[in-house]
């Protein structure tokens, strides 16, 4: 354990040295976020993070951004890309109704499981995934388009460290994928930057995915620092505009997003993997991610 802590501390010191930001005309650094993540790393939390300037692509913040991390529901973005591409090409109709059945049932996030309606249009299901990370809607869409198609689309985008591995399950057995999804901060920031620029498949497909993600109501992690209304934020508030996706599971807290402000725009990804055995450990992770958010807000504002 001592060796592991020493290695985590060494990585944190190296990351803090190499990633101090000095942008054009700016004196900010991401020191607060780095110190927060370093403390988490010393306590045994696995951390990966990256932030890039949306306009220039300059790397502002980087901590083990090549490492493949569990990202929970963030992999659902890849499903939304495949659905959007099929809608754009005419392979799917946005008004085509899909039925739910017993094999699709999964608890936790989402609201469709609490509604009586037995079927919904494809576009509405995608909106539910974007807004509440709806697990039932995810599984119904995934059954319609197929995990293999999502994987093929992911590979066609050049992503090798990011993937949706499985459907959503209440319990994962020995024959199931150990995680719903994985990803690297490097690839996730590229994906969201490309979506924001309209470069994923084509502009219309990218815009459709962005539109669904702009409904997201989870601002509990990095984005808790931005002061936005989680239920109404599709237009700038005080010059701040956010599109994000979070991933939450036992021992997993992850977020990726595009944050625009009056002075700049930034794409960010922060993932943590930890021993979620008590509330203080979980709260420490959330506080560390919020500290990164405060640095991001200062950069764009």
């Amino acid at each position: 354990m001592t060796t592991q802590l020493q290695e985590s501390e060494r990585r944190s010191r190296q990351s803090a040295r190499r990633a101090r930001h000095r942008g054009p005309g700016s004196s900010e650094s991401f020191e607060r976020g780095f110190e927060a993540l370093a403390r988490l790393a010393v306590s045994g939390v696995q951390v990966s993070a990256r932030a890039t300037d949306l306009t220039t692509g300059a790397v502002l913040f980087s901590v083990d951004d090549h490492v493949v991390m569990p990202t929970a529901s963030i992999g659902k973005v890849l499903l939304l890309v495949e659905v959007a591409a099929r809608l754009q090409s005419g392979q799917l109709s946005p008004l085509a109704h899909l039925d739910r059945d017993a094999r699709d049932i999964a608890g936790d996030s989402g609201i469709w499981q609490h509604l009586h309606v037995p079927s919904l249009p494809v576009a509405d299901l995608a909106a539910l995934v974007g807004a509440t990370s709806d697990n039932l809607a995810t599984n119904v869409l995934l059954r319609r388009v197929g995990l293999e198609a999502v994987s093929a689309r992911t590979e066609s985008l050049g992503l090798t460290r990011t993937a949706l591995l499985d459907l959503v399950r209440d319990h994962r057995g020995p024959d199931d994928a150990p995680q719903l999804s994985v990803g690297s901060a490097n690839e996730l920031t590229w994906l969201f930057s490309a979506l924001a620029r309209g470069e994923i498949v084509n502009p219309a497909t990218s815009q459709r995915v962005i539109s669904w993600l702009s409904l997201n109501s989870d601002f509990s992690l990095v984005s808790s620092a931005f002061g936005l209304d989680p239920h109404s934020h599709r237009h700038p508030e005080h010059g701040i505009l956010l599109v994000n996706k979070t991933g939450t599971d036992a021992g997993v807290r992850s977020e990726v997003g595009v944050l625009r402000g009056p002075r700049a725009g930034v794409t960010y990804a922060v993932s943590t993997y930890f021993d979620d055995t008590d509330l203080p450990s979980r709260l420490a992770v959330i506080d560390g991610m919020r500290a990164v958010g405060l640095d991001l807000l200062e950069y764009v504002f």
Side-chain angles (χ1 to χ4, degrees):
M1 178 63 71
T2 301
T3 301
Q4 291 177 339
L5 292 178
Q6 288 173 340
E7 177 62 18
S8 296
E9 194 169 15
R10 182 188 64 80
R11 289 200 306 267
S12 300
R13 286 197 302 267
Q14 289 177 339
S15 297
R17 283 198 297 269
R18 69 171 177 264
R20 198 177 286 251
H21 167 61
R22 291 288 185 269
S26 168
S27 61
E28 295 96 344
S29 75
F30 284 82
E31 185 172 352
R32 171 175 41 201
F34 273 104
E35 290 179 351
L37 295 185
R39 287 193 296 271
L40 291 178
V42 169
S43 71
V45 178
Q46 187 174 356
V47 174
S48 178
R50 182 181 178 91
T52 59
D53 186 281
L54 185 60
T55 301
T56 67
V59 178
L60 311 173
F61 183 102
S62 175
V63 177
D64 287 344
D65 60 5
H66 64 287
V67 175
V68 177
M69 299 277 285
T71 52
S73 291
I74 286 178
K76 295 172 184 177
V77 175
L78 302 170
L79 170 62
L80 293 181
V81 169
E82 178 62 21
V83 171
R86 292 192 180 202
L87 292 178
Q88 187 61 28
S89 69
Q91 292 176 273
L92 271 179
S93 166
L95 299 180
H97 275 248
L98 300 182
D99 298 326
R100 67 186 187 187
D101 62 33
R103 58 185 158 168
D104 304 315
I105 294 175
D108 297 329
S109 64
I111 62 172
W112 193 16
Q113 61 185 309
H114 305 294
L115 305 179
H116 292 292
V117 61
S119 66
L120 285 170
V122 168
D124 290 357
L125 294 177
L128 287 177
V129 175
T132 67
S133 199
D134 197 293
N135 286 337
L136 178 54
T138 295
N139 284 350
V140 171
L141 285 172
L142 196 54
R143 175 162 53 84
R144 175 63 178 81
V145 302
L147 183 60
E148 296 80 6
V150 176
S151 299
R153 180 74 63 181
T154 302
E155 292 175 7
S156 75
L157 297 175
L159 300 173
T160 61
R161 296 174 178 267
T162 300
L164 179 64
L165 301 176
D166 198 2
L167 50 76
V168 184
R169 302 179 187 273
D170 288 330
H171 305 285
R172 295 199 169 275
D175 295 329
D176 301 324
Q179 302 288 342
L180 175 62
S181 77
V182 295
S184 72
N186 189 333
E187 289 191 344
L188 288 171
T189 53
W190 174 85
L191 175 62
F192 268 61
S193 293
L195 282 169
R197 293 192 299 263
E199 297 171 353
I200 295 300
V201 184
N202 53 52
T205 296
S206 295
Q207 181 53 47
R208 201 184 290 263
V209 175
I210 288 291
S211 179
W212 291 328
L213 293 175
S214 71
L215 301 169
N216 185 35
S217 57
D218 183 5
F219 288 1
S220 61
L221 303 175
V222 177
S223 49
S224 66
F226 303 153
L228 298 175
D229 181 347
H231 302 297
S232 178
H233 58 89
R234 301 191 80 189
H235 303 287
E237 298 180 32
H238 301 295
I240 299 297
L241 186 64
L242 173 71
V243 174
N244 76 319
K245 182 74 185 77
T246 56
T248 299
D249 202 349
V252 177
R253 293 295 185 277
S254 186
E255 181 171 339
V256 56
V258 175
L259 178 69
R260 290 183 171 93
R263 192 164 62 85
V266 64
T267 307
Y268 66 89
V270 182
S271 294
T272 59
Y273 191 39
F274 60 102
D275 190 7
D276 193 4
T277 55
D278 54 66
L279 184 59
S281 297
R282 179 184 295 181
L283 293 177
V285 167
I286 293 172
D287 286 345
M289 297 181 75
R290 177 181 170 84
V292 176
L294 291 170
D295 285 342
L296 294 169
L297 182 63
E298 286 187 0
Y299 182 81
V300 304
F301 199 76

